[in-house]
Amino acid sequence: MAFQACGFPLRQLTLFFLFSILIVGEAHYKGFRKFKPVQDTRLGDVFEEQWFIQKLDHFNGADSRKWKQRFFVNDAFFKPDGPVFLMIGGEGPANPAWMQSGTWLTYAEKVGALCLMLEHRFYGKSHPTTDLSTDNLRFLSSRQALADLAHFRTVMAETQGLSNKKWVAFGGSYPGSLAAWFRLKYPHLVHASVATSAPVHASVNFPEYLEVVWRSLASQNAECPLLVKKASDTLLERLKDPKTYDNITKDFNLCSKLQIQTVRDSAYFLETLAGNFMDVVQYNEDNRAFEGAVGTNITIKVLCSVMGDTSLGDPYARYVAVARLMMDTFSMKCLDASFDNYLRDMSNASWDGTAAGGGRQWVYQTCTEFGFYQSTDSPNQPFTGFPLVYHVNQCADFYNVSAEQVAEAVAQTNEYYGGYDICSTRIVFPNGSIDPWHALGITQDIKPDLPAVFIKGTAHCANMYPARAEDLPQLALARDHVFLLLQQWLKE
């Protein structure tokens, strides 16, 4: 989603709320696609950023270090008998546009809720440490983030006279998972949660992502993913012959001549191009323009139209046309396809580095908690050339985390939170059938007070975005259903 309310994100690590936008001129990241939404500074004066004192390490009583965490407040709808709505930040900057727009505010107006949004540690302006060194990143985890939420909720309740209020957590994508886990781990602090597009099951290898991309493209045109596969296969073959590199460099308008010296050079280039389709599918027709998102007019229908246009040439030529279209849309002068540049950017631990917008932090979280690697290891998807080993090796390259450590961390995450078998109450799990992340989410009711809302034809965090006339009927019904659940739960 976007606030990184829809994370971010979650490749262009993308991922708020997780919410996950292609960053022009910056490195290419893996994860929740588009992890870094545009910051809407126009609302900075309307919704003044505020600061909350947090502990650096909630789980070490001997460590007294503190830092300031950013949050926003909208009390326009607040009534004395109303609840408190808490929007959870994700793998990118908290965007104050969400304090003015979004479904949660529609709900807030109806029930008289006070609305708060808390930025996630290590993202946006919430800097707990002096830099992003691997040693400092050990304080970046979902568990520390949940403890931040718990402490924020406790202190705000005590100091603002909100102790007798019912608190409802909201989040989309990775923050959606946090919303569910906040209710799971701190049930005395949060009364209910709306966990949108939440990947609650951690998995090192996530080939299902690209399988859903295939099905989502096919939902527009059965021939579309087949044409994408032909183009991808053709490109892979050409990469085996250095004599083709000059033409490929020109075709895709690369920033420097293509150099394929290692398997990871090829994998990075192939994944970069596949990302054009992955990003569009993940956010297909989502109403994201209000938060400053670019390229919302590029939909699955547009991509499949280009891939089906025989006047452009063979499928490879149409694949090139898609890449050019995306570069034009995001005002990119050229495409950086260098893994060495990516490695350099991701290894930069400075807050001023190009990966400090969220890339270095989020990939660290995938290496130490979640996995989520969108590999081409399944035959039932349209791309080729970036297998699991390519993704996992980056954990060693960037943070000295081995493949074995990644696997252990992912297993521990599922052990701690329960994965698909989450055991709690009053959490609703909306997901969209087009969104590849639904494969790691809850799409069927676990029990009456752990319901799923599976929305056919919609993408990532669709129900969180502002309503509009052209929304699918099932999306409007889903928003209404979630609100009815909240009404019911607030009476309990």
Side-chain angles (χ1 to χ4, degrees):
M1 173 179 158
F3 94 50
Q4 272 341 55
C6 188
F8 256 201
L10 116 132
R11 274 191 41 78
Q12 261 77 304
L13 251 194
T14 298
L15 324 119
F16 184 139
F17 284 1
L18 216 223
F19 286 29
S20 304
I21 279 189
L22 185 64
I23 305 305
V24 178
E26 294 193 4
H28 174 86
Y29 310 116
K30 321 279 150 301
F32 279 104
R33 308 204 54 85
K34 296 197 174 82
F35 72 87
K36 184 182 175 184
V38 172
Q39 182 82 10
D40 191 338
T41 56
R42 295 169 299 172
L43 298 175
D45 293 334
V46 179
F47 298 102
E48 180 181 358
E49 58 187 21
Q50 301 187 46
W51 302 92
F52 182 82
I53 302 299
Q54 289 281 15
K55 286 192 63 176
L56 176 61
D57 187 353
H58 291 283
F59 309 114
N60 181 1
D63 190 337
S64 60
R65 287 175 292 177
K66 303 288 180 62
W67 60 284
K68 292 181 180 180
Q69 185 170 27
R70 186 166 65 150
F71 71 98
F72 294 90
V73 179
N74 181 347
D75 60 3
F77 310 121
F78 187 45
K79 296 179 180 178
D81 60 344
V84 179
F85 285 1
L86 176 58
M87 181 64 80
I88 299 173
E91 71 288 15
N95 189 338
W98 282 93
M99 303 308 293
Q100 180 170 283
S101 301
T103 302
W104 77 305
L105 295 181
T106 303
Y107 298 162
E109 186 172 10
K110 292 178 179 179
V111 299
L114 173 66
C115 296
L116 308 174
M117 181 168 69
L118 185 66
E119 189 168 63
H120 196 296
R121 60 167 54 205
F122 282 94
Y123 295 100
K125 295 183 179 181
S126 296
H127 298 179
T129 55
T130 56
D131 62 22
L132 296 167
S133 66
T134 302
D135 187 52
N136 280 334
L137 286 177
R138 74 183 190 275
F139 299 110
L140 170 59
S141 69
S142 61
R143 300 183 198 192
Q144 293 282 3
L146 291 175
D148 286 340
L149 289 165
H151 188 54
F152 177 78
R153 184 262 187 249
T154 299
V155 173
M156 290 296 286
E158 292 174 351
T159 61
Q160 304 301 317
L162 303 171
S163 296
N164 63 340
K165 302 297 182 184
K166 291 177 179 176
W167 289 60
V168 179
F170 290 81
S173 203
Y174 164 53
S177 302
L178 292 176
W181 296 335
F182 190 26
R183 170 69 185 146
L184 171 70
K185 295 298 185 179
Y186 297 90
H188 57 295
L189 297 180
V190 60
H191 184 74
S193 289
V194 181
T196 296
S197 298
V200 297
H201 178 77
S203 180
V204 178
N205 200 4
F206 185 26
E208 294 87 354
Y209 185 101
L210 293 178
E211 293 179 349
V212 179
V213 169
W214 176 291
R215 295 196 296 271
S216 296
L217 293 172
S219 71
Q220 177 65 40
N221 183 326
E223 186 76 5
C224 186
L226 296 172
L227 292 168
V228 173
K229 179 172 173 53
K230 287 181 181 178
S232 181
D233 290 346
T234 298
L235 177 58
L236 183 65
E237 284 302 309
R238 294 186 183 184
L239 291 178
K240 296 176 182 178
D241 181 3
K243 295 177 182 177
T244 68
Y245 291 180
D246 283 338
N247 285 336
I248 292 174
T249 300
K250 294 176 183 177
D251 289 341
F252 292 99
N253 191 22
L254 303 185
C255 297
S256 58
K257 181 179 177 180
L258 183 65
Q259 298 288 334
I260 304 296
Q261 298 175 332
T262 65
V263 173
R264 69 184 188 181
D265 290 333
S266 172
Y268 181 74
F269 179 48
L270 291 166
E271 188 200 19
T272 298
L273 297 176
N276 293 328
F277 292 83
M278 297 163 73
D279 289 338
V280 168
V281 166
Q282 179 168 312
Y283 290 99
N284 185 60
E285 297 185 356
D286 275 352
N287 187 20
R288 299 183 297 128
F290 80 95
E291 59 178 1
V294 177
T296 57
N297 59 314
I298 308 297
T299 63
I300 291 174
K301 184 176 182 179
V302 170
L303 293 188
C304 288
S305 176
V306 174
M307 290 305 301
D309 187 351
T310 56
S311 70
L312 295 173
D314 63 6
Y316 169 82
R318 302 172 214 172
Y319 201 64
V320 170
V322 167
R324 293 278 187 156
L325 171 64
M326 298 301 285
M327 291 175 65
D328 289 343
T329 299
F330 290 98
S331 302
M332 298 173 67
K333 295 180 179 179
C334 59
L335 183 65
D336 187 352
S338 167
F339 182 86
D340 287 342
N341 288 347
Y342 172 57
L343 176 61
R344 178 201 64 212
D345 291 339
M346 287 292 289
S347 300
N348 185 345
S350 168
W351 280 111
D352 296 324
T354 55
R360 178 166 169 80
Q361 300 95 301
W362 178 247
V363 177
Y364 176 82
Q365 286 194 259
T366 69
C367 293
T368 56
E369 292 192 86
F370 305 123
F372 292 158
Y373 301 119
Q374 301 141 19
S375 77
T376 52
D377 291 355
S378 168
N380 304 314
Q381 51 81 34
F383 304 104
T384 188
F386 41 103
L388 177 62
V389 64
Y390 156 73
H391 296 284
V392 173
N393 284 346
Q394 292 175 35
C395 295
D397 292 337
F398 304 153
Y399 319 105
N400 196 31
V401 175
S402 70
E404 292 76 17
Q405 289 172 315
V406 175
E408 290 175 2
V410 167
Q412 190 176 62
T413 295
N414 288 327
E415 183 179 280
Y416 186 69
Y417 294 120
Y420 294 121
D421 299 317
I422 186 170
C423 186
S424 185
T425 59
R426 293 196 294 268
I427 307 171
V428 58
F429 297 94
N431 276 282
S433 67
I434 298 295
D435 177 19
W437 290 101
H438 83 251
L440 294 179
I442 305 298
T443 57
Q444 294 184 324
D445 294 357
I446 298 175
K447 56 181 183 175
D449 55 4
L450 285 179
V453 179
F454 193 57
I455 317 167
K456 291 187 177 180
T458 65
H460 200 54
C461 302
N463 59 290
M464 297 186 71
Y465 295 106
R468 55 185 171 181
E470 56 268 41
D471 284 341
L472 293 172
Q474 55 267 36
L475 176 55
L477 288 172
R479 290 193 182 103
D480 291 343
H481 182 57
V482 171
F483 179 65
L484 289 174
L485 286 169
L486 287 179
Q487 279 187 306
Q488 174 186 327
W489 290 342
L490 287 171
K491 293 176 182 176
E492 295 179 5

